[in-house]
Amino acid sequence: TENGKLFDIDPMRFYPLGGDITGVGVFTSYFVAYLYKILNFFIPSITIEYADIIYPIIAMAILSVFLFLLIRRLFNWKVGLLSVLFLNIIPSFLFRSLGGSSDHDILAAMLVIMAFYFYACGWQSKNIKKTIFFGILTAFATILARESAGAGNFVFLVLGSFVIIEIFLNKFEKKDLILYSSWLIPTTIINIYLYGFQNGFVVFISSLTTSITYFVLLFSLVQYMMFESRYKKHFSKINLPESISAIIMGVILASLIGLIFFGIDFFTGKIEQIYSLLFKFYAETRWTLTVAENHKPFVTDWCGQMGKLFVYIMIFGSIALFYHMTKVFENKKISYFLSTIYSLFIIGYIFSKYSGSSIFNGTSNISRTILFGSVIGFVLIISILYLKSFFKNKEIYNKIKFIDKKYAFIFIWFFVMIFAATSAVRLLFEFSIIAVIIASYFFTSVFEFAWKNKNKYIKYSVLLVLLLILINPFSYAQGMIIKNYKSSLNQATFSGPGYIYQWQLAGKWVRENTSKDAVFAHWWDYGYWVQEGFQRATMTDGGNFILWWNYLMGRNVLTGQNFTEPLGFLFSHGADYLLIINDEIGKYPAYSTIGSNENYDRRAFIPTYMLDNSNIQETRNGTI
């Protein structure tokens, strides 16, 4: 707020080099700064700290509005309203949207929903000018989401995958190509403007999460040239589905381009990344294994944060959604068969990682068999049926193109987040959005089914059960809305800053009794508190720009073998103070693992013993 912009190098971080933030998304800082300027204009007494405290609440309010608009546009107002209600009370979405959290993920989530809303407006617009306009709005929302947090990359994954499915469904037309181009081209131009050609385009096109969008653009252009332009007469004799022909040709062209500019390693790397996306998402490195939010979640973790009943309803909701999508074939046998295949896939994939203490732990042989089998089996069966309908039943094949776009979009969003949410705990936050949409769809579908039923007993019995599941006020089998509301309210009521009073007193002492240019060394967790609360420079922090320094801190300092081993590392960084607190006892496994060599020579843990005064016994000769 004082300088008008952030400095490129933050001297308080990663001393003595400083933290280079030119390639880091910093839109959250600007959002808070300008929010303060706006609020301060109307209420001069408001401080920048207060604007930072309330910013997550404002972002959550904006997100709620756009989520309602998006889901109302795709389905109806009932699904939209229930989705917003669930999202505002579900515990899994609370922490990063809570007032005072000051986390950047809530702003990224808000902008991702805005991007999806604008894109949906674009494909539903009948006017080409409006389509282009909404495509450009999607581009701006995408860039701002990516500049806020890494979750912004989900826009690229979802929209890129969505268009691939649209091509397979023979639904990708000239207007869709215009919309996709009017989103991706401005996004690329803005990114090049922000980061230059190398970082803004070359890195952009070589990253898995963003490169998929360029490959899809190539596929869509190939499809248009082969089957929509004046050259289609040359390709009309190919006895393959248009989508397959276009993607084969697109893969050949993409491979040639990739080999020319990036080499063979580019493709092997992308295959490894895709495998990690589908089956791991986060690689099991020392770093990810020692950071709690990167741990692999299980279904039991989902149930702990969302509620077991909610998780099962979400799964049933996705099955109901898939069934409604297949009703386009006007043949119940086909719908039932496809829905059964989908049910086996989604249940197999999710429950292969049910619990760390069960045989379905994601790593056992039976667990991995079900995990791989569910994905490969589903894709294989759908592909066979797709090709079989093309060659032997054109009537069914021709109906594929009438599948509503909203189903393809919601399912792609759901699949991407399912893969993410079974791979890293921190991504349950982003997963919560699509989870509440799917669950809300289930409730409204059951409601509409019951409401249209002519049998009054069935109608009112089902409606009563729905009401009890949602708002049963009694403590026994409490309704989901009541239970989640109370859980979130209780959690929010007793939540406080991690920078607790004892830290605040320490920070006050440091500010008053140490030199302003003093440098602190410590395990990375406390960096932001020292920089902001102590107002002193640190060697490491939560940005973890230089992981090697975490290794040296863990090895040379915190698990040093003598009193002189730490001095070389600390002296070379100009450290004046070494900060260690009792949390290091519990964190010993983390920093001893990171500080170990390839044979894990330092990895260990410190057992914790609790003193229970009620069990102390005084005897004649002593005390037990």
Side-chain angles (χ1 to χ4, degrees):
T1 58
E2 295 176 358
N3 302 295
K5 68 174 185 176
L6 293 172
F7 294 111
D8 291 342
I9 304 296
D10 187 343
M12 299 289 282
R13 307 179 65 182
F14 303 100
Y15 192 88
L17 300 181
D20 185 355
I21 61 173
T22 54
V24 179
V26 293
F27 180 65
T28 308
S29 300
Y30 286 95
F31 185 88
V32 172
Y34 283 100
L35 175 64
Y36 161 71
K37 289 178 180 292
I38 293 170
L39 295 176
N40 185 256
F41 177 80
F42 296 100
I43 310 173
S45 61
I46 281 182
T47 62
I48 184 69
E49 290 81 7
Y50 186 76
D52 185 53
I53 288 170
I54 66 170
Y55 121 76
I57 301 172
I58 294 174
M60 184 65 191
I62 298 172
L63 185 155
S64 298
V65 171
F66 276 93
L67 179 63
F68 172 76
L69 294 174
L70 171 64
I71 304 307
R72 185 185 66 173
R73 178 174 284 272
L74 296 180
F75 295 110
N76 55 57
W77 67 269
K78 294 188 286 292
V79 182
L81 201 60
L82 191 56
S83 298
V84 171
L85 174 60
F86 271 135
L87 192 65
N88 276 269
I89 61 174
I90 195 168
S92 60
F93 203 74
L94 177 66
F95 178 70
R96 288 181 170 86
S97 61
L98 193 65
S101 68
S102 301
D103 199 292
H104 54 197
D105 282 305
I106 183 62
L107 184 62
M110 178 195 86
L111 290 161
V112 167
I113 296 302
M114 291 175 67
F116 288 163
Y117 171 71
F118 293 139
Y119 200 86
C121 291
W123 91 55
Q124 292 182 351
S125 296
K126 296 181 179 179
N127 186 298
I128 293 298
K129 291 182 179 179
K130 287 185 178 180
T131 298
I132 296 173
F133 173 72
F134 283 117
I136 295 172
L137 285 181
T138 307
F140 279 103
T142 302
I143 286 292
L144 293 178
R146 196 166 182 268
E147 286 296 295
S148 300
N153 285 328
F154 283 118
V155 177
F156 297 95
L157 281 172
V158 172
L159 294 186
S161 303
F162 169 60
V163 170
I164 287 180
I165 296 301
E166 287 291 281
I167 292 174
F168 269 110
L169 297 178
N170 301 318
K171 295 177 65 63
F172 198 78
E173 300 173 349
K174 181 179 179 180
K175 190 181 102 172
D176 299 301
L177 177 59
I178 292 172
L179 173 63
Y180 191 77
S181 302
S182 63
W183 161 63
L184 187 56
I185 293 173
T187 299
T188 306
I189 293 172
I190 296 171
N191 210 53
I192 293 173
Y193 172 77
L194 291 173
Y195 299 112
F197 184 79
Q198 176 64 32
N199 293 327
F201 181 71
V202 176
V203 174
F204 207 60
I205 201 173
S206 60
S207 170
L208 176 64
T209 52
T210 49
S211 63
I212 185 176
T213 56
Y214 293 97
F215 287 123
V216 171
L217 179 61
L218 179 62
F219 297 157
S220 59
L221 287 171
V222 168
Q223 188 207 34
Y224 177 76
M225 293 295 293
M226 291 176 66
F227 302 106
E228 300 294 333
S229 68
R230 59 182 178 178
Y231 303 108
K232 63 181 180 181
K233 61 183 179 180
H234 301 295
F235 301 97
S236 59
K237 296 181 180 180
I238 298 177
N239 192 27
L240 281 174
E242 292 182 6
S243 57
I244 301 296
S245 302
I247 288 178
I248 290 174
M249 186 63 70
V251 168
I252 293 172
L253 289 175
S255 299
L256 291 173
I257 294 171
L259 284 171
I260 293 171
F261 290 99
F262 300 107
I264 190 65
D265 291 341
F266 174 79
F267 293 97
T268 57
K270 288 295 170 284
I271 292 171
E272 290 177 0
Q273 286 181 320
I274 291 172
Y275 170 81
S276 182
L277 173 67
L278 293 175
F279 302 108
K280 289 184 179 180
F281 205 84
Y282 278 99
E284 293 181 352
T285 63
R286 297 185 191 189
W287 181 249
T288 56
L289 289 174
T290 55
V291 178
E293 65 178 14
N294 286 339
H295 286 177
K296 278 187 175 182
F298 298 98
V299 174
T300 50
D301 295 310
W302 292 14
C303 296
Q305 293 200 34
M306 299 179 179
K308 183 179 291 186
L309 181 59
F310 182 89
V311 171
Y312 287 114
I313 285 175
M314 176 198 69
I315 295 172
F316 291 142
S318 74
I319 295 171
L321 190 66
F322 192 89
Y323 172 74
H324 289 159
M325 178 179 71
T326 59
K327 290 172 78 173
V328 70
F329 296 111
E330 299 177 355
N331 186 321
K332 287 188 176 182
K333 288 184 178 180
I334 295 176
S335 296
Y336 289 150
F337 177 75
L338 292 175
S339 299
T340 301
I341 298 300
Y342 170 78
S343 301
L344 294 173
F345 154 67
I346 200 66
I347 292 172
Y349 184 86
I350 291 175
F351 285 94
S352 65
K353 303 176 184 179
Y354 179 73
S355 169
S357 59
S358 71
I359 59 172
F360 301 110
N361 57 10
T363 57
S364 67
N365 289 334
I366 186 172
S367 181
R368 293 179 71 83
T369 300
I370 294 174
L371 175 67
F372 283 86
S374 61
V375 175
I376 296 172
F378 178 72
V379 173
L380 190 61
I381 292 172
I382 294 298
S383 300
I384 291 172
L385 293 175
Y386 180 81
L387 292 172
K388 185 177 179 180
S389 66
F390 175 79
F391 289 111
K392 294 186 176 181
N393 196 328
K394 290 288 187 179
E395 183 181 354
I396 293 178
Y397 178 79
N398 291 331
K399 288 181 179 179
I400 291 176
K401 69 186 305 181
F402 295 106
I403 293 176
D404 199 316
K405 283 178 179 287
K406 66 184 180 186
Y407 292 118
F409 177 75
I410 290 295
F411 270 111
I412 285 299
W413 186 2
F414 181 59
F415 290 158
V416 168
M417 298 314 305
I418 278 285
F419 295 142
T422 53
S423 306
V425 170
R426 70 178 306 277
L427 295 175
L428 288 179
F429 175 78
E430 288 81 3
F431 175 63
S432 299
I433 301 177
I434 188 62
V436 300
I437 295 171
I438 299 291
S440 300
Y441 180 83
F442 174 82
F443 280 113
T444 54
S445 297
V446 174
F447 172 82
E448 289 174 356
F449 167 79
W451 191 256
K452 294 176 182 177
N453 199 294
K454 296 180 180 180
N455 188 315
K456 292 184 178 181
Y457 295 104
I458 295 177
K459 175 190 290 188
Y460 293 115
S461 296
V462 173
L463 293 179
L464 179 61
V465 171
L466 285 180
L467 285 174
L468 290 174
I469 292 175
L470 288 172
I471 58 174
N472 179 26
F474 304 108
S475 57
Y476 178 75
Q478 205 165 53
M480 290 172 58
I481 292 175
I482 304 296
K483 186 176 182 179
N484 282 338
Y485 170 74
K486 287 186 176 180
S487 177
S488 292
L489 180 63
N490 184 64
Q491 184 179 335
T493 301
F494 295 101
S495 293
Y499 191 70
I500 59 176
Y501 187 57
Q502 195 170 6
W503 272 99
Q504 295 168 29
L505 290 176
K508 182 175 184 293
W509 188 92
V510 168
R511 292 194 303 271
E512 295 175 351
N513 293 277
T514 66
S515 172
K516 290 185 177 181
D517 60 357
V519 178
F520 274 74
H522 48 72
W523 189 233
W524 65 266
D525 288 17
Y526 321 120
Y528 297 145
W529 293 346
V530 174
Q531 293 159 12
E532 181 62 24
F534 291 21
Q535 296 180 8
R536 299 296 182 264
T538 71
M539 292 163 50
T540 55
D541 64 38
N544 297 302
F545 291 176
I546 310 174
L547 292 177
W548 175 246
W549 289 5
N550 291 335
Y551 165 77
L552 294 176
M553 178 62 70
R555 185 172 187 82
N556 293 4
V557 181
L558 295 176
T559 64
Q561 302 299 290
N562 53 58
F563 289 118
T564 58
E565 187 176 353
L567 298 182
F569 176 61
L570 297 176
F571 179 79
S572 66
H573 285 262
D576 298 295
Y577 298 94
L578 176 62
L579 171 65
I580 297 180
I581 67 172
N582 64 341
D583 285 11
E584 261 67 80
I585 297 173
K587 293 175 182 177
Y588 199 94
Y591 60 74
S592 67
T593 298
I594 290 175
S596 294
N597 65 9
E598 63 273 16
N599 297 317
Y600 291 92
D601 62 334
R602 300 281 173 90
R603 184 167 65 178
F605 69 96
I606 301 176
T608 303
Y609 296 90
M610 303 301 295
L611 176 63
D612 184 358
N613 289 315
S614 65
N615 281 323
I616 293 177
Q617 299 177 22
E618 291 188 9
T619 65
R620 182 175 182 178
N621 297 322
T623 302
I624 300 174

